[in-house]
Amino acid sequence: MAAPVNDPIRYAPVTRPHRRWLAWTVSLLLHLAIIGVVASRQFAPAPPERSGLDVVLVTRQSEAPVAAEALAEADQRAAGEAQAPPAEARAAPRAAR
């Protein structure tokens, strides 16, 4: 239907550049909306809330390593006597004065 010549409303011509601009604008807005929805979605569940565990570092005198010394002594006893006599036994006897 053609508009009469005396019609007071001015119609904007819709040409190919207008359609292309409108299509690009709608496409860009639609892509931005989809990206925004996907980016705002949380795919992994939130990590569980940690129960608090306070750690306080204190400097104090260390205890004697009783267990380590006992283990070392037991190992030495289990090894038995050394094959070579100690250096004192191999030394020449002292001359009596």
Side-chain angles (χ1 to χ4, degrees):
M1 179 170 156
V5 176
N6 60 0
D7 190 2
I9 301 174
R10 302 273 180 184
Y11 293 99
V14 179
T15 60
R16 286 188 179 169
H18 287 99
R19 289 183 194 151
R20 186 176 298 130
W21 179 83
L22 180 64
W24 275 100
T25 304
V26 170
S27 174
L28 181 65
L29 291 175
L30 184 62
H31 278 82
L32 288 175
I34 291 172
I35 290 171
V37 167
V38 170
S40 67
R41 182 171 170 87
Q42 186 177 9
F43 293 106
E49 187 175 325
R50 293 184 178 185
S51 59
L53 175 66
D54 294 332
V55 177
V56 179
L57 301 176
V58 179
T59 305
R60 63 178 182 152
Q61 296 281 335
S62 63
E63 297 176 7
V66 177
E69 288 178 3
L71 288 173
E73 188 177 333
D75 286 344
Q76 287 176 355
R77 273 191 255 126
E81 292 294 323
Q83 297 294 348
E88 296 86 23
R90 289 180 289 167
R94 280 191 189 179
R97 290 188 184 182

